[in-house]
Amino acid sequence: MFQIESLGIPKVKSPLQLSTVRGDHIFNYVKEDDKLVYDLSLDTYNKCLTNKEEPLCMEKAGPRQHIYFEPGKTTAAIVTCGGLCPGINNVIRGIVMALHYFYGVPRILGIPYGYEGLNPAKGHGFVELTPEKVKDIHQFGGTFLGSSRGAQDVSVMVDTLVDNRIDILFTIGGDGTLKGANAIGEEIEKRGLDISVVGIPKTIDNDIDIIDKSFGFETAFDVASAILRDAHNEASGAHNGMSIIKLMGRDSGFIAAAATLAMPVVNFALIPEMDFDLYGENGFFEQLKKRLEAKRHAVIVVAEGAGQHLFDRKKVKTDASGNIKHEDIGVYLKEKIGEYFKDIFPMTIKYIDPSYIIRSAPANSGDSVLCNQLAYQAVHGAMSGKTKFVVGKVNNKYVYLPISAVTQKRKKVDLESEFWFSVLQSTGQPFLM
């Protein structure tokens, strides 16, 4: 399941001056047979012992003693796709610095505006990336290269890689981007080309399967926390005051849940993974009424994909990336709450949607560390000839995983998990509404 494909046998001695022995205080090369167990539970361990089976393992990320590409003859390219996310520029910078200073790769190209940049008909051209050009970009949000949504013809994109003698393509993006990268890798394999395709998972929603955490997520709930604090001030400053804050989270509610834990002034957290009723004895509105009667203010956090079951959706619309366009649950809740309470008692409702501010923020310190590590590990894997893989942290260790393994399904908040139980303990809301 977690077997990483390779372009061939690495025969070039790595330019990195690392060690192969323990105890000399120099970092060691990672061997190809260095594996890490995926499921760390005692139950799985005992089953493997009983059945005399090898546990499911992942390939440890890191520099190899022998690499596939000759650094001085290698050309690499970087593309960023999809929505904005804190840390993209950090990853771009990290890749450029690692290629240039670690391996001496002479030519690094930036592909503007996502996969559009690999379609010559769009006329975007390329950007020459050097350490001097990218040295300060980590201080800013957004993407230095620009981005876009939507697919391009895979054959055309591979033709562009060939025409520009690109040996390694680094793709920074979420589910759709990674599926596109895998398709590019399949076309490369079909043609018998020596081009490595690497994915660095980027999704602010933290919904990439298997990996512990995607970059940008920590910054997202960090920035959101201060907004929740101020929203609480707004709510508590009025009699029967209420703040509704809509946060990003199309299919997974990790940002809303984590922000709620980080700033424990939230009374209700509504996420896509949960169904809830508005009306009835145990419905959301009755729970909200009890809260207002007891404390005279309330703070509600809602993920953008929550409550879609409340809408009459006869026709589903999608964006350029194929993602379902959700109805605006934030505005809907504000209107319905106002209607419900208008004859019960007067109230003040503040509605806040900081989504585009959050996703455009520069990475915080924690995400900056993660971005650099991901960039370095991606470069090591690419230079050793591995392809169609992503780099990520699993069980707090950096590993290489096949793109196909992480794109089979989206990661979601487990409503029976300790994480979600902690959210419920923080808010005081019931398990079911």
Side-chain angles (χ1 to χ4, degrees), residues 10-88:
K11 297 179 180 179
V12 179
K13 185 172 173 50
S14 172
L16 303 179
Q17 300 298 311
L18 302 181
S19 178
T20 58
V21 296
R22 295 285 181 185
D24 60 1
H25 306 294
I26 299 173
F27 186 73
N28 289 342
Y29 288 109
V30 175
K31 298 177 181 177
E32 286 302 314
D33 59 358
D34 282 346
K35 306 289 184 180
L36 296 169
V37 176
Y38 172 60
D39 188 337
L40 303 181
S41 69
L42 180 61
D43 183 54
T44 298
Y45 172 75
N46 286 331
K47 284 180 181 177
C48 289
L49 281 181
T50 302
N51 300 326
K52 297 180 180 179
E53 296 175 346
E54 183 177 298
L56 181 61
C57 292
M58 305 164 291
E59 191 169 310
K60 188 176 180 181
R64 269 51 177 176
Q65 189 171 7
H66 289 89
I67 58 178
Y68 185 78
F69 293 105
E70 291 187 41
K73 299 178 181 179
T74 299
T75 296
I78 305 170
V79 64
T80 62
C81 308
L84 299 184
C85 172
I88 300 176

Side-chain angles (χ1 to χ4, degrees), residues 1-180:
M1 178 181 176
F2 294 148
Q3 185 67 39
I4 305 298
E5 294 183 33
S6 180
L7 297 175
I9 300 173
K11 297 179 180 179
V12 179
K13 185 172 173 50
S14 172
L16 303 179
Q17 300 298 311
L18 302 181
S19 178
T20 58
V21 296
R22 295 285 181 185
D24 60 1
H25 306 294
I26 299 173
F27 186 73
N28 289 342
Y29 288 109
V30 175
K31 298 177 181 177
E32 286 302 314
D33 59 358
D34 282 346
K35 306 289 184 180
L36 296 169
V37 176
Y38 172 60
D39 188 337
L40 303 181
S41 69
L42 180 61
D43 183 54
T44 298
Y45 172 75
N46 286 331
K47 284 180 181 177
C48 289
L49 281 181
T50 302
N51 300 326
K52 297 180 180 179
E53 296 175 346
E54 183 177 298
L56 181 61
C57 292
M58 305 164 291
E59 191 169 310
K60 188 176 180 181
R64 269 51 177 176
Q65 189 171 7
H66 289 89
I67 58 178
Y68 185 78
F69 293 105
E70 291 187 41
K73 299 178 181 179
T74 299
T75 296
I78 305 170
V79 64
T80 62
C81 308
L84 299 184
C85 172
I88 300 176
N89 284 338
N90 301 65
V91 176
I92 295 171
R93 182 186 186 277
I95 292 172
V96 173
M97 296 301 186
L99 287 169
H100 180 87
Y101 289 113
F102 300 176
Y103 289 98
V105 171
R107 188 167 180 248
I108 308 166
L109 302 175
I111 299 169
Y113 303 113
Y115 285 142
E116 277 190 11
L118 286 173
N119 183 352
K122 299 293 183 179
H124 297 317
F126 291 149
V127 179
E128 291 277 351
L129 298 179
T130 63
E132 183 64 27
K133 188 166 288 186
V134 303
K135 66 178 183 178
D136 296 322
I137 64 173
H138 63 291
Q139 300 180 48
F140 304 96
T143 165
F144 172 75
L145 294 175
S147 186
S148 68
R149 294 188 182 275
Q152 299 294 321
D153 187 287
V154 174
S155 183
V156 170
M157 291 194 287
V158 174
D159 285 343
T160 301
L161 296 176
V162 173
D163 292 343
N164 290 274
R165 298 180 179 179
I166 293 170
D167 303 294
I168 302 171
L169 175 65
F170 293 96
T171 63
I172 305 171
D175 184 73
T177 303
L178 295 177
K179 286 178 178 176

